[in-house]
Amino acid sequence: METGEPGSAGTALLIAAHPDDAEFGAGGTVACWVREGWRVVYVICTHGEQGTHDLHADLGALAQLREQEQRAAAGVLGVAEVSFLGYPDGQVEPTLELRRDLTREIRRYRPARVICPSPLRLLDSSALRRNHPDHMAVGAAALAAIYPTASSPHLFPELLAAGFEPWIVSEIYVNESHEADVIVDIAETLDQKIAALREHASQVSPELEPRIREGARRFGEPHSLAAAEGFRLIRLS
Ligand SMILES: [Zn+2]
């Protein structure tokens, strides 16, 4: 099974629902970790083919385009590998099938750290995007895949039979800026985050850059940082 060698610091796996979620939520952090020697890999659950308001859009073509955009954005950040699970955009549920697929990817890459979305709905009008049902579904499935499934040899025995051995993740970084307890200084990588977001040209507008800069600045300000991203950290070992 080819999984690539971990970086000098280890392997970090980012699990997201859609192309561009990774860069919006954690692009600066991913770039920092790559600089620190982490091998970062992405698993994206859908191709984001619903990312259009055009009634006549070719959704198959958009899916292909968004995969290309995601690979280009990941390249800007130094991400080693990107894979797609191919679930239908806008209809993701935290099913056993999704949990099994994510368990397989966790066992394949054997990451010390996982970044995933939050499974919780925030009752806050500013959290519209964060509350996308696909994000919450992927968050729930990812957390269930990390514990107990990835480390339990007798759950989904077909995975073990295929050579995917049990694995224990050490740290989960839940993408969560509202109640973050880990604040990552991204001042050095904010330009890289913005450059990566620009690769999602089918989704982002020219007004993106000032909005992203202001968001990172506002988030960093209470922590005396010029720019920051935040996560809820769960330590498992
Ligand atoms: Zn999304």
Side-chain angles (χ1 to χ4, degrees):
M1 192 188 311
E2 183 50 58
T3 59
E5 287 296 308
S8 57
T11 297
L13 168 63
L14 184 148
I15 297 171
H18 310 118
D20 82 16
D21 292 349
E23 284 72 36
F24 272 112
T29 301
V30 165
C32 285
W33 288 3
V34 168
R35 290 179 184 198
E36 291 167 14
W38 288 86
R39 179 176 193 264
V40 180
V41 296
Y42 283 3
V43 170
I44 313 294
C45 296
T46 78
H47 280 89
E49 68 273 13
Q50 295 294 334
T52 177
H53 294 111
D54 177 358
L55 297 181
H56 307 291
D58 178 341
L59 300 189
L62 182 57
Q64 281 186 3
L65 175 61
R66 295 204 67 189
E67 176 171 340
Q68 289 167 13
E69 290 174 347
Q70 179 61 88
R71 291 189 188 286
V76 170
L77 300 177
V79 171
E81 212 173 310
V82 183
S83 62
F84 292 82
L85 297 182
Y87 281 77
D89 184 7
Q91 300 176 51
V92 183
E93 293 286 338
T95 59
L96 286 175
E97 183 192 10
L98 178 56
R99 193 203 300 187
R100 185 198 58 215
D101 286 347
L102 292 174
T103 299
R104 185 189 62 235
E105 299 311 308
I106 290 164
R107 291 187 183 182
R108 184 196 309 278
Y109 293 114
R110 304 168 80 77
R113 290 178 174 174
V114 173
I115 296 177
C116 69
S118 171
L120 303 179
R121 177 179 291 276
L122 271 184
L123 300 180
D124 182 332
S125 59
S126 71
L128 189 67
R129 183 187 178 87
R130 141 91 158 71
N131 282 341
H132 190 299
D134 289 356
H135 297 176
M136 294 183 285
V138 169
L143 291 172
I146 293 166
Y147 182 84
T149 320
S151 59
S152 299
H154 305 296
L155 281 170
F156 302 118
E158 67 273 25
L159 295 181
L160 189 59
F164 295 99
E165 296 189 356
W167 179 252
I168 297 174
V169 172
S170 302
E171 296 178 336
I172 310 169
Y173 286 72
V174 180
N175 235 177
E176 174 57 272
S177 56
H178 283 73
E179 293 179 356
D181 56 11
V182 169
I183 309 300
V184 179
D185 180 351
I186 63 161
E188 298 272 306
T189 57
L190 181 57
D191 289 346
Q192 236 178 311
K193 170 175 175 149
I194 288 166
L197 279 165
R198 280 209 205 95
E199 296 289 348
H200 296 284
S202 71
Q203 304 298 306
V204 302
S205 66
E207 300 86 57
L208 173 82
E209 178 168 345
R211 194 159 56 79
I212 295 293
R213 285 193 187 282
E214 176 57 14
R217 189 197 65 73
R218 249 188 297 127
F219 194 71
E221 198 170 29
H223 310 282
S224 306
L225 296 172
E229 289 171 344
F231 304 87
R232 283 290 290 270
L233 175 60
I234 305 169
R235 287 186 205 278
L236 299 177
S237 63

